[in-house]
Amino acid sequence: MSLRSFLSDVVYSAYGRRLIQQAKGRHPRHIAIMLDGNRRWAREAGFTDVADGHRAGAKKIADFLSWCNEADVEVVTMWLLSTDNLGRAAEELSPLLKIITDVTDELAAPHTPWRLRIVGALDLLPPEVAKALSAAAERTEGRSGMEVNVAVGYGGRQEIADAVRKLLLQHADEGTSIRELAKILDVDHISEHMYTSGQPDPDLIIRTSGEQRLSGFLLWQSAHSEFWFTEAYWPAFRRVDFLRAMRDYAWRHRRFGS
């Protein structure tokens, strides 16, 4: 190791410890993250195949989850593929789906502590992909570790439409009329049918790559979320970036509309 690299590591480590100290006192229970910028990272790194960016991004996921685990986060939601992404060309989409399936299998491996939940419209995915993702999640049932939502084929509007559809079907089976349902319907009824039902709403939503918009991510659940944006592409996202997000969250005063 060169002297420059050694000094860089020392400074980086010291800065990380300072960020940890500054973030003490309050941490998010639920972090949601938009893993954005894989393709742009690949192009700027000189790769001709954007799938190399997705592969690099997939390798970053285990690190991110370990950082969240160290910070006592209870739930993590990672957006890996949107419903809009399903319209990409087959030569890009097929490798991407394979990468997502592989990384989900890795997260479900016996030596990992995570409890996986697949959130998204699985019926929009190729059947073999949907089956593999569901099987991976099933293998983690009963674990006591951090809950990890893997958002694949996910769209916020699609989720709300699916929730309302499930609600209507449930009450139709129970014999409730539309007029009767209209009298009792409230926010909690719909929340019970969202993909993330039973979990706290995200306290902090992170988006990488410099984009500053939700793009339909967790539209229902993000009413009181804090947002943190970074210029870093997802494959280049570092622990120090994560710690900055945690520090900024700890410094914010959340009013929840009051």
Side-chain angles (χ1 to χ4, degrees), residues 18-176:
R18 181 182 177 189
L19 289 172
I20 292 172
Q21 186 65 35
Q22 291 174 334
K24 277 188 176 180
R26 188 161 63 94
H27 66 272
R29 294 179 63 196
H30 183 172
I31 292 180
I33 184 164
M34 308 167 74
L35 317 181
D36 198 15
N38 293 322
R39 295 190 296 175
R40 280 170 283 170
W41 178 89
R43 294 188 184 105
E44 292 184 16
F47 293 100
T48 56
D49 185 357
V50 295
D52 289 318
H54 295 307
R55 293 187 187 96
K59 292 178 181 178
K60 180 68 64 173
I61 288 174
D63 290 338
F64 179 75
L65 292 180
S66 69
W67 302 334
C68 290
N69 196 51
E70 291 171 3
D72 294 325
V73 175
E74 299 172 21
V75 184
V76 173
T77 299
M78 304 182 300
W79 198 8
L80 303 188
L81 186 77
S82 72
T83 51
D84 292 337
N85 295 153
L86 293 173
R88 290 180 179 176
E91 56 266 27
E92 181 182 351
L93 184 59
S94 294
L96 177 54
L97 288 172
K98 176 66 164 58
I99 292 167
I100 290 172
T101 302
D102 288 346
V103 74
T104 304
D105 278 338
E106 292 171 8
L107 295 178
H111 66 276
T112 60
W114 327 120
R115 287 177 288 160
L116 302 186
R117 181 189 294 195
I118 309 301
V119 297
L122 292 184
D123 57 307
L124 299 180
L125 301 176
E128 65 277 10
V129 173
K131 182 178 180 181
L133 294 176
S134 297
E138 288 174 5
R139 292 197 296 274
T140 68
E141 290 179 359
R143 293 183 182 179
S144 58
M146 187 170 64
E147 291 186 89
V148 178
N149 297 326
V150 181
V152 182
Y154 176 88
R157 290 177 175 177
Q158 182 70 47
E159 179 182 20
I160 294 170
D162 285 348
V164 173
R165 185 180 302 109
K166 291 176 184 176
L167 175 68
L168 292 175
L169 289 172
Q170 174 192 328
H171 281 275
D173 291 340
E174 295 172 357
T176 308

Side-chain angles (χ1 to χ4, degrees), residues 174-249:
E174 295 172 357
T176 308
S177 70
I178 292 295
R179 187 173 296 276
E180 291 171 331
L181 178 59
K183 291 180 180 179
I184 63 171
L185 183 64
D186 60 18
V187 169
D188 290 337
H189 283 99
I190 297 176
S191 293
E192 290 169 1
H193 293 82
M194 304 299 284
Y195 299 149
T196 59
S197 62
Q199 297 176 338
D201 288 340
D203 302 293
L204 175 64
I205 296 178
I206 298 171
R207 182 166 189 167
T208 59
S209 86
E211 304 293 346
Q212 297 190 24
R213 58 180 183 272
L214 274 180
S215 299
F217 187 42
L218 300 177
L219 291 177
W220 183 271
Q221 300 91 332
S222 62
H224 297 295
S225 300
E226 298 292 329
F227 299 94
W228 195 82
F229 303 102
T230 176
E231 295 291 327
Y233 296 139
W234 170 245
F237 189 78
R238 304 164 300 169
R239 181 171 180 267
V240 70
D241 298 313
F242 172 77
L243 293 176
R244 285 171 179 156
M246 297 293 284
R247 177 200 60 189
D248 290 355
Y249 174 83

